[in-house]
Amino acid sequence: MAAVLWLAAWPAWPGAATDGFQDLPVAQISFSPPAQPIPEVRLRELIAVRPGAPLDAEDVRKSIQQMFATGRYNDIQVDAVRAGAGVRVTFITTERWFIGPVHVVNVPAPPSPSQLVAATNLVLGEPFSDERLQEAVRALRRMLAENGFHQAAIEPETGGHSDTQQIDITFNIRPGSRARFGEIRLTGRPDLPPDQARRIAGWSKEKHLTQPTVQRGLDRLRRHYQHSDRLEAAVRLTEQKFVPAANRVDLVVAIEPGPRVEVDVSGAKVSRKQLRRYIPIYEEGAVDHDLLAEGARNLRDFFQTDGYFEAKVDFDEHPEQNGQIVVEYQATLGEHHQFVKLDITGNSYFDEATIRERLLLQPKSLQSRRGRFSQSLLRSDAATIEDLYHSNGFLQVKISSKDEDDYLGKKGDVAAFLKIEEGPQTLVSKLTIAGNQAIPTAALLGRVSSLQGQPFSDGNVAADRDEILSYYFSEGFEDATLEVRSAPAAEPHRIDLEYTIQEGQRQFVNKVIYEGNQHTRDTLVERQIQVYPGQPLSQTSMIDSQRRFYDLGVFSKVDLAVQNRDGEEQFRNVLFELEEARRWTIGFGAGAEIARFGGGTANLTAPAGATGFSPRVSFQVNRLNMFGKANTLTLQTRFSTLQKRGQVTYVAPTWHGKERLTLTYSSLYDASRYINTFAATRLEGALQLQHKISKPSSLYYRYTYRRVSVDSSTLNINPLQIPLLSQPVRVGILSASFYQDRRDDPVDAKRGIYNAVDLGVASYYIGSAASFTRVLMQNSTYHPLGRKLVLARNTQFGALTPFGRRRSVQTTEDGQPVVTFTREIPLPERFFSGGFNSNRGFPINQAGPRDPVTGFPLGGNGLFLNSLEARFPLKGQNIGGVLFHDMGNVFSQPQNINFHFHQRTAEDFDYMVHAVGVGIRYRTPIGPVRADFAWSLNPPRFVGFQGSRDQLLACGRNPQSCPATPQRISWFQFHFSLGQTF
């Protein structure tokens, strides 16, 4: 848009010195309208006309140019009128509008609202015009037609905000009825009738036409031909013809089947699946010389990695005959070899382990039966070593490579030799940084690697350039540039470096504008924004703000832009367009558990558990952004034959505006039978405050109150203990936990540490019927030993210590209540251990003391577990193996924890149980699937009960009359689960 200059009563502008306004003093400068999009202080800096100074045409022209260059105006005019002895100058402006939030409403998917908004090409923060609006309407109409809405009516609605110059755009659409598929007409050289093409594509006349269904149909037709080896088949939609009377769309599809392509391999056996994997003509859908040559190289590398290191592959492409192209690969495999040695010599700057971890060559091992070797890999690894040395200043390094067949006289063995001639190392003699005025040199030196005495390389210099410019961009210098000069220094093998910076104009934040938070409170939104008016326009801070919005979990989309990006202004508006996520989500799930849990209330013959199957269903409802504070209310339920569970959780992140604090309220109902000694019903409420100390470390402060009821009809223990242990228990416990996680990957750690400490106290004074202290500690470490082996260790210690007395009310046979006091820890609060995540020498929750009559586990007050694992690759990248040793048990009391190996009597369970075994791990995106096979070295013996529960109760107060038999935990245990053991 061009600026217009107009002066009242001054038709000859710019006139000669004799006209009436030239050189008259400027009496006043004003603006119309008075409210301008640029703050008055900055606006006055743009005006070359000065009050009291003579009016000059060049000053007016310069003022208009500088104002218009800001990009804030569509039109600028100047009005000059007499004011006494001088002249009053008025700048008459029309401000420019910028695109704000864009919404498209009332269209059923597909297309999705985000697809429709993208189709408008109306980008947040860019200048708005009627032409762009009309083009957006045309684009929407095209997309709607592609999805069957040919009769849609589009009504754009705009609303401006003069304080921000933003204009909101809403496209109200009346889509009408979506059209269905009509007739299908085939052109080109189709070899199938239209009805068959319709069936293959899935375009039945009852189906609505949408862009995805059209594209899927074209892909199906294309695959139909490719499955018949017509790799060059072309299928494309050439016309869509809308029939208004029937509300249907007739399609015209052009089909060129192309010749059949037959690929044969002579001299070797290659499956069709491998051919499609290694020969790119199948993926590209074209047959040309380059793709065929690439296929030959891929086949050669495949044969070489399979032990045929001398393999060669050639190919011939026969001309098309009778509608068929024949491609013949000739493979010469040679003898079968194995790569037994990789020898690296001449290296002194880098140790051999550092070099080997970068190489693709791999001598034979358990993971690779014949090793991995080929001439191309040997050349590639030599180049890799050369790049490594170059990046560390060895500019004259030389790498020579050779291979030796029948190594040490053994036929088929291959060895490779890499000889390194390092040469002199080139260092930086001096680094000079010039041109920086806004940022101190010391701040820049702390970010570069090419300092005095450090290795010189082009890679390091390029990294320095990126680091310096990134820092400048984060400080508001969007136009900063950096020029590098290097020259030999006076000393040999030394380089002088000079970094010259052109800073450009620094950009600052004028306003921060956010929109779209319909339910989220402004105070919460503003806390996430890390850019502030008056500060440098930092791209880093803007992206960090965007990340913080997403981290809240209540926004599905956050658009970030700088308004008027192309304008020449120093202070800019930063825009955040927020789109809130759905506040209600519902989820369903189903699964099953297979493990040794078993045992039942009718038959007590399996105190050590028996293999059982438990189907499971789950249901979850989430309500996001409660009260506009990003709080979340969640209902989770689970139902199975082992567990009935319902939990309501309310999470308040950034509690009281503190980012490191998260408050959680939860209530729980749980009826479970995971411990086959009893079934317990738990009602629980908890209040927890999480304090995130640092990225790896967090503190948790928690108060929990629960009432646990044990169903006396499920207690598989001595009848004399049933009245005591079946009493409902109220437990109120204050606890604090510390967690530190420095693992590289919590799902499958290779290095790092994990620490957890949980301390709790239950007391009468905080609502607990039982008084005890609880300590549970865990330490896990992960150490890589070389490239392949990881040594993992996990140690756990737990202690329950009762104090005071627990009050228990029992009823005698004559109905009289009897009050007793005990210091026993309630049964559901004791430690239970054993299974796939603890000591694998036990079935699930089968460790520790047992009932002397029935043999069912009773849990204990002490816990110790130490697990060692050697993790290593087995085959390929996804299958790994584990050798493990578990030692530990649940002990009757903490002071009874010991390292005895042998069980002294059938009633003595306070000793250390050891198990060794092997495991297999299969890597998946959600963690490794694992199977562990454990052999217990000293499994516990115990006295079990042979009979039903009724027989147990009939024994009455004479346990000696109960039928009992010696039993023991099985020597062998099998565990199948998801995720590493620890």
Side-chain angles (χ1 to χ4, degrees):
M1 304 289 290
V4 177
L5 179 65
W6 176 81
L7 290 151
W10 201 346
W13 180 267
T18 56
D19 55 32
F21 290 133
Q22 183 72 17
D23 295 329
L24 289 178
V26 177
Q28 182 183 2
I29 300 174
S30 61
F31 299 91
S32 177
Q36 293 290 305
I38 301 175
E40 184 176 355
V41 175
R42 298 181 204 140
L43 186 58
R44 294 290 180 182
E45 296 174 355
L46 299 174
I47 303 300
V49 180
R50 293 287 183 263
L55 179 62
D56 182 73
E58 187 59 33
D59 289 341
V60 175
R61 183 180 295 107
K62 183 178 179 181
S63 300
I64 293 174
Q65 291 174 344
Q66 292 185 154
M67 291 177 64
F68 199 78
T70 64
R72 290 284 167 185
Y73 300 98
N74 268 341
D75 188 53
I76 303 173
Q77 300 179 12
V78 176
D79 179 21
V81 296
R82 285 274 190 177
V87 60
R88 183 174 71 243
V89 178
T90 302
F91 289 86
I92 305 170
T93 62
T94 302
E95 66 182 5
R96 173 172 288 176
W97 292 93
F98 298 92
I99 298 170
V102 179
H103 301 285
V104 182
V105 297
N106 300 328
V107 180
S112 67
S114 59
Q115 289 176 314
L116 289 166
V117 171
T120 64
N121 199 30
L122 297 174
V123 181
L124 183 68
E126 290 189 354
F128 170 82
S129 67
D130 290 335
E131 292 79 4
R132 296 191 66 171
L133 182 63
Q134 295 306 314
E135 179 55 38
V137 170
R138 289 190 288 270
L140 282 176
R141 200 175 301 281
R142 287 192 297 270
M143 174 165 277
L144 290 170
E146 290 173 356
N147 285 273
F149 297 114
H150 285 265
Q151 299 174 321
I154 303 175
E155 297 178 1
E157 179 182 324
T158 59
H161 304 275
S162 57
D163 56 334
T164 63
Q165 291 184 261
Q166 293 280 103
I167 187 164
D168 300 343
I169 306 171
T170 301
F171 294 93
N172 296 296
I173 298 178
R174 297 193 302 275
S177 300
R178 197 190 298 267
R180 301 179 187 270
F181 284 97
E183 299 299 324
I184 307 297
R185 187 163 66 91
L186 305 180
T187 62
R189 295 186 299 165
D191 58 353
L192 69 167
D195 289 344
Q196 184 179 354
R198 183 193 295 276
R199 287 194 301 272
I200 294 172
W203 294 335
S204 67
K205 291 187 176 182
E206 292 75 24
K207 183 175 290 186
H208 288 106
L209 182 141
T210 66
Q211 190 177 37
T213 55
V214 171
Q215 187 58 50
R216 282 196 299 267
L218 295 173
D219 292 341
R220 288 169 181 164
L221 287 169
R222 194 174 294 111
R223 287 195 299 269
H224 168 76
Y225 284 101
Q226 290 177 345
H227 288 163
S228 301
D229 291 331
R230 297 183 183 273
L231 304 184
E232 296 183 310
V235 180
R236 55 192 179 87
L237 181 67
T238 59
E239 184 180 354
Q240 294 189 50
K241 184 178 180 181
F242 178 59
V243 183
N247 195 24
R248 292 186 179 274
V249 177
D250 296 339
L251 302 182
V252 179
V253 180
I255 298 179
E256 293 294 336
R260 294 183 184 274
V261 179
E262 180 181 342
V263 179
D264 292 327
V265 178
S266 60
K269 185 178 181 180
V270 183
S271 68
R272 185 177 180 86
K273 180 179 180 181
Q274 290 170 329
L275 284 178
R276 289 184 173 273
R277 177 181 178 183
Y278 293 113
I279 301 178
I281 61 175
Y282 291 99
E283 182 178 353
E284 298 295 333
V287 180
D288 61 40
H289 186 274
D290 291 341
L291 294 177
L292 294 175
E294 183 181 350
R297 291 191 297 271
N298 293 343
L299 286 174
R300 181 202 61 196
D301 293 343
F302 166 66
F303 294 135
Q304 289 182 344
T305 55
D306 195 38
Y308 295 99
F309 300 152
E310 300 169 349
K312 297 180 180 178
V313 180
D314 297 317
F315 70 92
D316 290 322
E317 179 186 359
H318 301 286
E320 180 181 349
Q321 292 182 356
N322 301 322
Q324 183 172 350
I325 295 177
V326 177
V327 178
E328 184 178 358
Y329 285 93
Q330 301 93 27
T332 305
L333 298 182
E335 296 182 359
H336 217 177
H337 296 77
Q338 56 183 4
F339 184 40
V340 297
K341 183 177 182 180
L342 173 61
D343 185 63
I344 302 174
T345 58
N347 56 299
S348 60
Y349 189 80
F350 294 106
D351 59 33
E352 189 167 324
T354 301
I355 296 175
R356 283 181 178 269
E357 68 182 4
R358 291 166 167 79
L359 304 184
L360 297 175
L361 291 173
Q362 181 180 329
K364 72 172 186 176
S365 63
L366 184 63
Q367 184 183 12
S368 179
R369 186 167 58 93
R370 293 189 172 273
R372 184 166 54 194
F373 175 86
S374 70
Q375 293 296 332
S376 61
L377 290 181
L378 183 60
R379 291 191 295 271
S380 174
D381 283 350
T384 297
I385 297 174
E386 186 173 311
D387 291 342
L388 174 65
Y389 273 92
H390 280 168
S391 65
N392 284 271
F394 293 90
L395 306 183
Q396 301 176 26
V397 65
K398 295 181 180 179
I399 312 295
S400 58
S401 62
K402 70 174 183 176
D403 61 279
E404 181 179 331
D405 198 4
D406 297 339
Y407 179 63
L408 297 180
K410 188 172 181 180
K411 189 174 180 60
D413 283 4
V414 174
F417 302 89
L418 290 167
K419 183 179 180 182
I420 303 172
E421 298 177 29
E422 293 182 340
Q425 187 180 27
T426 301
L427 303 177
V428 176
S429 175
K430 180 177 63 175
L431 173 63
T432 303
I433 298 180
N436 56 306
Q437 299 179 2
I439 297 179
T441 301
L444 298 177
L445 289 175
R447 295 177 173 271
V448 299
S449 58
S450 299
L451 299 172
Q452 181 178 351
Q454 295 300 311
F456 167 80
S457 73
D458 293 335
N460 292 341
V461 170
D464 289 348
R465 175 188 286 108
D466 293 341
E467 184 65 29
I468 290 175
L469 291 180
S470 176
Y471 185 52
Y472 264 93
F473 294 159
S474 69
E475 291 296 318
F477 294 93
E478 294 189 345
D479 300 324
T481 59
L482 182 128
E483 182 181 352
V484 179
R485 295 187 182 90
S486 61
E491 300 178 62
H493 310 301
R494 296 293 185 270
I495 294 291
D496 289 337
L497 279 176
E498 182 180 358
Y499 294 166
T500 303
I501 300 169
Q502 298 290 334
E503 292 182 333
Q505 186 182 44
R506 196 172 197 173
Q507 306 291 319
F508 294 90
V509 178
N510 180 44
K511 293 180 182 179
V512 178
I513 304 168
Y514 59 87
E515 295 182 274
N517 53 314
Q518 299 178 1
H519 303 98
T520 308
R521 296 190 180 186
D522 290 344
T523 53
L524 179 64
V525 172
E526 291 164 2
R527 283 202 299 264
Q528 313 313 312
I529 297 176
Q530 301 300 296
V531 289
Y532 307 99
Q535 290 192 352
L537 182 64
S538 170
Q539 191 72 23
T540 303
S541 297
M542 292 165 60
I543 294 175
D544 182 53
S545 304
Q546 188 180 42
R547 176 192 59 78
R548 289 164 61 92
F549 277 121
Y550 280 120
D551 287 347
L552 285 177
V554 299
F555 296 105
S556 60
K557 184 180 178 183
V558 180
D559 284 337
L560 168 66
V562 174
Q563 190 185 74
N564 190 27
R565 171 69 75 175
D566 297 329
E568 297 179 7
E569 56 179 344
Q570 192 174 8
F571 288 80
R572 301 182 182 275
N573 294 339
V574 178
L575 312 175
F576 291 94
E577 175 56 30
L578 311 174
E579 183 176 314
E580 294 177 332
R582 294 170 54 190
R583 292 188 293 167
W584 288 98
T585 59
I586 299 176
F588 299 90
E593 295 178 73
I594 302 176
R596 292 181 64 90
F597 33 76
T601 61
N603 193 308
L604 309 181
T605 59
T611 302
F613 174 80
S614 174
R616 180 179 67 219
V617 294
S618 61
F619 172 74
Q620 178 172 319
V621 179
N622 290 325
R623 170 61 162 83
L624 300 179
N625 207 9
M626 295 286 292
F627 311 113
K629 295 183 176 181
N631 299 347
T632 303
L633 180 67
T634 302
L635 168 65
Q636 294 175 304
T637 64
R638 176 184 292 181
F639 182 85
S640 72
T641 55
L642 290 176
Q643 186 181 47
K644 301 173 183 63
R645 181 184 181 98
Q647 183 174 14
V648 177
T649 306
Y650 184 85
V651 180
T654 62
W655 187 56
H656 279 201
K658 306 294 184 181
E659 291 183 22
R660 296 181 179 269
L661 297 183
T662 299
L663 188 67
T664 303
Y665 308 87
S666 64
S667 59
L668 171 71
Y669 168 82
D670 182 272
S672 62
R673 283 191 52 83
Y674 277 97
I675 301 167
N676 62 8
T677 306
F678 63 93
T681 300
R682 178 163 53 135
L683 291 172
E684 178 178 294
L687 175 65
Q688 173 182 282
L689 180 65
Q690 176 189 359
H691 179 199
K692 193 168 184 61
I693 302 173
S694 60
K695 185 177 181 180
S697 303
S698 294
L699 274 171
Y700 294 82
Y701 312 96
R702 186 185 309 107
Y703 173 72
T704 305
Y705 180 83
R706 55 179 167 260
R707 183 181 187 275
V708 182
S709 302
V710 176
D711 186 352
S712 61
S713 66
T714 65
L715 273 167
N716 298 325
I717 58 175
N718 187 336
L720 295 179
Q721 300 185 68
I722 290 178
L724 176 65
L725 296 181
S726 64
Q727 295 295 318
V729 179
R730 300 187 319 276
V731 176
I733 184 169
L734 277 172
S735 59
S737 304
F738 171 76
Y739 294 94
Q740 183 185 58
D741 191 350
R742 295 185 179 274
R743 295 173 291 183
D744 59 341
D745 181 2
V747 175
D748 189 9
K750 301 294 189 300
R751 64 177 70 243
I753 62 172
Y754 175 81
N755 293 311
V757 179
D758 183 72
L759 306 176
V761 58
S763 171
Y764 169 81
Y765 297 102
I766 54 176
S768 182
S771 298
F772 59 91
T773 59
R774 185 178 188 272
V775 177
L776 185 61
M777 295 183 290
Q778 177 181 347
N779 170 254
S780 303
T781 58
Y782 307 84
H783 300 282
L785 303 179
R787 295 177 59 186
K788 301 176 182 179
L789 184 65
V790 175
L791 182 64
R793 178 196 55 80
N794 177 56
T795 302
Q796 292 183 11
F797 170 81
L800 293 170
T801 305
F803 64 90
R805 295 187 299 174
R806 173 187 169 202
R807 186 174 184 271
S808 179
V809 180
Q810 303 178 38
T811 304
T812 61
E813 294 181 357
D814 56 2
Q816 297 299 318
V818 176
V819 178
T820 61
F821 293 91
T822 177
R823 296 187 65 186
E824 287 289 327
I825 300 293
L827 193 61
E829 300 297 326
R830 300 177 186 179
F831 291 125
F832 288 86
S833 184
F836 53 85
N837 279 337
S838 54
N839 191 328
R840 284 161 282 190
F842 289 100
I844 296 175
N845 292 324
Q846 289 287 313
R850 293 177 173 271
D851 180 65
V853 174
T854 65
F856 280 80
L858 293 174
N861 295 349
L863 170 68
F864 181 85
L865 171 68
N866 188 81
S867 296
L868 285 174
E869 287 192 350
R871 303 173 181 175
F872 51 88
L874 265 183
K875 183 175 178 59
Q877 300 296 320
N878 294 327
I879 300 178
V882 168
L883 297 176
F884 65 83
H885 170 248
D886 294 341
M887 57 176 287
N889 208 343
V890 172
F891 296 82
S892 57
Q893 300 297 336
Q895 59 268 26
N896 293 337
I897 296 177
N898 61 77
F899 292 90
H900 296 160
F901 184 84
H902 296 288
Q903 184 181 16
R904 289 166 293 206
T905 67
E907 296 183 356
D908 170 33
F909 301 97
D910 290 336
Y911 76 103
M912 200 68 65
V913 177
H914 295 254
V916 295
V918 298
I920 298 176
R921 306 289 185 265
Y922 181 78
R923 190 171 68 176
T924 71
I926 58 175
V929 175
R930 63 185 173 101
D932 288 328
F933 306 87
W935 183 263
S936 182
L937 302 180
N938 54 344
R941 295 173 287 110
F942 56 92
V943 175
F945 180 78
Q946 295 293 329
S948 66
R949 179 175 174 78
D950 292 337
Q951 290 174 317
L952 175 66
L953 297 175
C955 294
R957 297 183 179 275
N958 185 17
Q960 288 74 19
S961 64
C962 294
T965 57
Q967 300 187 32
R968 77 161 57 236
I969 297 292
S970 173
W971 297 85
F972 174 76
Q973 301 292 334
F974 168 73
H975 303 281
F976 182 82
S977 185
L978 178 66
Q980 293 284 11
T981 313
F982 54 89

